[in-house]
């Protein structure tokens, strides 16, 4: 099993001068800590205009800085928005980061899920899938030696040689953001690694893994000429401390991530309220006061606890044959000191047990070769976009109806 860390670069209100500077510098120090401790991946999102939830519009800049402060950890776009970027600019920036990092880039891609992000770039919810797929077809010829051109519905690119080229040949490993089961299956059909930005039980993970690997082995339909990346990753809330009680206290803001997703997801086209009209941190704390049992249940559901508790939970996920667990530590107002201590404690006392898993390696080889035929599991019970562990939030009418 591989382990990644995940960054939205969240910054809840109230904001004061220097907050964003501290946020970025602390996150880079956390990546240094993760690299030193032997974590495999660092994933950074691209989002635009999402106040408090994500202050990360330029992941390539952040990852470029991280590339100079780390040695081994893989640097993942989780994800690069293909809907709000020109394919040539995507290819250029991925290649430059691959050069700066000496071949450590993971190329995750997605569409964005909100008109708040899409509309300013001239995109919409109805056509974003088409834009994404055309961008995929346009990008991969650009990684090859020589020139390429593309003439499509959404992008028109005359013959040009897009330089530089990435270190990894023919290209960095490919991933796709997935927040729903149909998207997991779509990633498998297209041959992409699945970044499951979701919070699911071990039972749901088992069903999702089967759906993904059945799609990639039985229904593969690539969008362009690229190498497939058969890998399934899932995100989990995360905080490791000496005792369960201490870990839950330190992870008090962990559910802010999922709170904001569901709070805003109720609106049409997942529109966010107009700038400055909602204090999301206040709304979150009001919800916690009114729903203490739900908050406690959410914290119990994630990988939050002592090393012994987290190891016990991971053993269940291991039976689901997840390839990578992505640990969400930087959420809400979790402190920098606690995040670093958590990363170090987990790496020292939990990670070694899961580092080598010959049983999983043999299972995966058998599945990909066809020697192991996976059951087609009925996944109807696991289709909720937010997952069973998600908090259930009814947004205020003013927020839900505010303009995106």
């Amino acid at each position: 099993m591989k382990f990644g860390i995940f960054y939205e670069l969240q910054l809840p209100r109230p904001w004061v001068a220097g907050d964003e500077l501290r946020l970025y510098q602390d996150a880079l120090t956390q990546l240094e800590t993760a690299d030193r401790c032997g974590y495999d991946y660092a994933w950074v999102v691209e989002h635009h205009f999402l106040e408090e939830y994500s202050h990360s519009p330029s992941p390539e800049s952040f990852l470029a800085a991280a590339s100079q402060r780390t040695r081994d950890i893989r640097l993942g776009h989780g994800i690069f928005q293909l809907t709000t970027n020109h394919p040539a600019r995507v290819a250029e920036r991925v290649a430059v980061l691959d050069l700066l990092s000496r071949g450590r880039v993971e190329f995750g891609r997605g569409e964005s899920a909100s008109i708040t992000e899409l509309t300013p770039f001239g995109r919409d919810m109805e056509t974003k899938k088409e834009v994404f797929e055309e961008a995929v077809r346009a990008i991969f010829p650009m990684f090859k030696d020589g020139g390429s051109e593309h003439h499509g519905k959404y992008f028109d690119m005359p013959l040009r040689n897009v330089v530089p080229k990435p270190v990894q040949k023919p290209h960095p490993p490919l991933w796709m953001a997935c927040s729903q089961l149909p998207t997991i299956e779509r990633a498998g059909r297209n041959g992409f690694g699945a970044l499951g930005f979701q919070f699911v039980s071990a039972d749901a993970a088992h069903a999702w893994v089967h759906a993904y690997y059945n799609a990639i082995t039985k229904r593969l339909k690539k969008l362009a000429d690229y190498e497939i990346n058969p890998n399934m990753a899932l995100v989990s809330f995360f905080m490791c401390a000496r005792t369960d009680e201490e870990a839950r206290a330190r992870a008090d803001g962990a559910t802010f991530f999922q709170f904001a997703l569901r709070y805003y997801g109720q609106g049409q086209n997942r529109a966010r309220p107009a700038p400055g009209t909602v204090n999301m941190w206040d709304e979150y704390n009001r919800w916690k006061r009114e729903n203490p049992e739900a908050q406690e249940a959410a914290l119990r559901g994630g990988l939050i606890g002592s090393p012994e508790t987290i190891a016990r939970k991971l053993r269940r996920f291991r039976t689901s044959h997840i390839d990578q667990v992505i640990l969400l530590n930087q959420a809400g107002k979790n402190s920098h000191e606690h995040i670093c201590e958590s990363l170090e404690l987990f790496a020292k006392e939990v990670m070694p047990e899961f580092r080598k898993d010959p049983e999983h390696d043999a299972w995966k080889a058998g599945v990909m070769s066809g020697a192991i035929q996976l059951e087609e599991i009925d996944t109807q019970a696991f289709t909720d976009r937010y997952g069973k562990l998600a908090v259930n939030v009814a947004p205020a009418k003013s927020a839900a109806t505010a303009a995106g």
Side-chain angles (χ1 to χ4, degrees):
M1 186 180 289
K2 304 290 187 181
F3 293 99
I5 55 175
F6 177 55
Y7 284 82
E8 291 275 358
L9 294 173
Q10 297 197 328
L11 190 62
R13 284 185 170 90
W15 301 330
V16 298
D19 277 353
E20 287 180 323
L21 174 62
R22 188 177 307 107
L23 171 70
Y24 270 77
Q25 296 303 321
D26 284 351
L28 286 171
T29 300
Q30 292 158 24
L31 259 66
E32 283 188 274
T33 301
D35 181 56
R36 173 172 49 80
C37 290
Y39 287 80
D40 303 288
Y41 295 86
W43 297 100
V44 182
V45 303
E46 177 185 354
H47 277 311
H48 304 276
F49 322 121
L50 305 187
E51 298 176 317
E52 300 187 72
Y53 176 71
S54 177
H55 290 229
S56 181
S58 183
E60 68 278 4
S61 300
F62 178 86
L63 291 170
S67 75
Q68 303 307 293
R69 295 171 62 163
T70 58
R71 287 182 48 189
D72 301 311
I73 196 167
R74 303 286 298 177
L75 302 175
H77 279 286
I79 49 74
F80 220 132
Q81 289 184 2
L82 299 193
T83 47
T84 61
N85 292 280
H86 190 280
R89 294 292 289 128
V90 174
E92 291 168 342
R93 284 178 276 182
V94 168
V96 168
L97 181 59
D98 210 37
L99 291 165
L100 291 173
S101 66
R102 299 181 184 271
R104 288 188 280 141
V105 173
E106 300 284 319
F107 185 19
R109 288 123 334 105
E111 301 170 356
S112 174
S114 168
I115 61 172
T116 299
E117 294 189 89
L118 292 168
T119 300
F121 296 99
R123 301 300 184 200
D124 55 52
M125 298 286 284
E126 292 72 28
T127 61
K128 67 189 182 87
K129 179 181 176 183
E130 290 182 19
V131 174
F132 173 89
E133 292 185 350
E134 183 178 323
V136 169
R137 290 191 289 270
I139 287 169
F140 288 98
M142 298 176 183
F143 288 142
K144 298 178 180 179
D145 291 337
S148 67
E149 59 185 306
H150 176 85
H151 306 287
K153 181 178 179 180
Y154 299 102
F155 302 104
D156 192 82
M157 177 76 179
L159 180 63
R160 295 291 188 275
N161 189 5
V162 177
V163 291
K165 307 297 183 182
V167 174
Q168 300 175 87
K169 303 299 181 185
H171 51 73
L174 307 180
W175 299 80
M176 178 175 164
C178 307
S179 60
Q180 302 178 73
L181 183 59
T183 323
I184 293 277
E185 294 170 328
R186 179 180 154 202
R189 286 197 309 274
N190 293 158
F192 305 141
L195 290 172
F197 294 133
Q198 181 56 283
F199 300 83
V200 299
S201 65
D203 289 340
H206 178 74
W208 283 34
V209 167
H210 274 58
Y212 173 78
Y213 276 104
N214 277 327
I216 201 170
T217 56
K218 301 174 184 178
R219 296 179 280 277
L220 182 64
K221 186 178 180 181
K222 297 199 298 183
L223 298 176
D225 181 18
Y226 49 73
E227 287 193 357
I228 67 170
N229 179 34
N231 275 287
M232 177 82 192
L234 285 178
V235 170
S236 177
F237 299 136
F238 171 64
M239 183 66 74
C240 187
R242 282 297 170 191
T243 68
D244 292 348
E245 293 73 21
E246 184 178 12
R248 283 197 291 270
R250 291 183 171 193
D252 189 55
T255 49
F256 180 73
F257 176 95
Q258 203 72 354
F259 174 91
L261 272 182
R262 189 179 282 275
Y263 185 96
Y264 287 143
Q266 305 286 344
Q268 184 177 7
N269 291 328
R270 301 178 197 144
R272 270 57 173 176
T277 59
V278 171
N279 184 315
M280 184 50 53
W281 187 251
D282 283 352
E283 293 291 334
Y284 171 64
N285 281 289
R286 179 170 65 85
W287 172 83
K288 285 198 301 180
R289 289 193 299 271
E290 296 174 356
N291 300 273
E293 299 85 1
Q295 167 72 355
E296 283 299 310
L299 292 178
R300 287 195 303 270
L303 294 174
I304 295 172
S306 67
E308 296 77 17
T309 294
I310 293 177
R312 185 174 66 251
K313 293 182 177 183
L314 278 175
R315 291 180 195 118
R316 288 201 65 203
F317 276 97
R318 182 165 57 186
T319 65
S320 302
H321 292 293
I322 294 294
D323 295 295
Q324 180 186 161
V325 174
I326 303 175
L327 306 168
L328 175 62
N329 219 7
Q330 193 274 322
K333 293 190 177 182
N334 292 352
S335 79
H336 171 63
E337 292 74 20
H338 292 164
I339 291 170
C340 289
E341 289 174 13
S342 177
L343 291 171
E344 291 178 346
L345 183 60
F346 178 87
K348 180 181 179 182
E349 299 195 13
V350 181
M351 198 185 293
E353 176 183 341
F354 300 90
R355 265 300 182 209
K356 294 182 179 179
D357 191 351
E359 182 179 337
H360 172 72
D361 295 340
W363 175 89
K364 186 171 180 177
V367 169
M368 294 305 298
S369 69
I372 296 175
Q373 293 292 311
L374 296 180
E375 175 189 2
E376 295 277 0
I377 295 176
D378 181 1
T379 55
Q380 186 60 38
F382 308 112
T383 55
D384 180 8
R385 176 174 185 259
Y386 303 98
K388 289 185 177 181
L389 302 182
V391 294
N392 191 4
V393 180
K397 183 177 292 186
S398 60
T401 58

